[in-house]
Amino acid sequence: RINPVSCDESWQEDIESGFEGADGFMIPKVETKQELIMLDELLSEMEGKMVFNKNIPPKVLLPIATETPTAVLNIADIAKGPRVCAITWGCEDLSAELGSYDTREEDSGKYLHVFRHCQNMCLLAAKAAGVQAIDGIFQDIRN
């Protein structure tokens, strides 16, 4: 997992330090396909410099595609980004962005409607793009 591309330049250091040992990178807070294109260009450049181990497959990307409202609205394009092998979703960062104190209904434990929508959009976007959908974590810090 690297730092968000939108925050600062530390994500580049994350990729450089994990490049040789990683099969791919989890990308948090992705908002647009353009961010994935930028990562693809950097990875292609780094892979092109490899003198040895030319048989190593290209690195893959796993975006967390629902952490901001913008990301949710762009999820279909994100899923079709370069090197994307799967997309996953999470509601914790999105709930903070929305100012929501809860992500689940208190009585039933079901996700609130907006978060169920994100979960469904992740599944649909992944299927439409021909990549895997990976469900988010189950978080229950009160238990």
Side-chain angles (χ1 to χ4, degrees):
R1 182 185 184 279
I2 66 169
N3 284 300
V5 174
S6 59
C7 288
D8 57 29
E9 301 301 315
S10 63
W11 62 270
Q12 291 178 335
E13 294 172 13
D14 295 338
I15 287 180
E16 289 168 5
S17 65
F19 183 79
E20 287 191 29
D23 292 327
F25 298 94
M26 180 174 277
I27 315 299
K29 296 195 184 272
V30 173
E31 291 192 320
T32 67
K33 184 178 178 180
Q34 187 58 39
E35 292 173 66
L36 299 173
I37 291 170
M38 181 178 61
L39 287 165
D40 173 54
E41 290 169 355
L42 174 65
L43 289 169
S44 293
E45 181 182 320
M46 292 175 76
E47 290 163 347
K49 291 179 181 176
M50 293 179 65
V51 176
F52 303 105
N53 299 324
K54 290 288 185 182
N55 295 328
I56 295 175
K59 307 294 184 196
V60 296
L61 300 176
L62 173 57
I64 306 173
T66 62
E67 293 187 308
T68 70
T70 301
V72 175
L73 296 175
N74 290 328
I75 195 168
D77 281 339
I78 291 169
K80 293 176 186 173
R83 299 177 184 255
V84 172
C85 64
I87 59 173
T88 188
W89 80 287
C91 58
E92 291 75 19
D93 287 308
L94 181 60
S95 68
E97 289 271 337
L98 297 174
S100 175
Y101 292 106
D102 293 309
T103 58
R104 296 177 180 270
E105 296 174 0
E106 189 173 326
D107 56 337
S108 69
K110 291 181 181 178
Y111 283 114
L112 297 173
H113 290 289
V114 68
F115 303 116
R116 281 190 270 166
H117 173 76
C118 293
Q119 185 181 37
N120 290 330
M121 288 300 295
C122 182
L123 175 63
L124 294 170
K127 183 65 176 174
V131 300
Q132 293 292 313
I134 299 175
D135 203 359
I137 63 165
F138 179 82
Q139 182 174 326
D140 184 5
I141 58 175
R142 293 184 185 121
N143 183 0

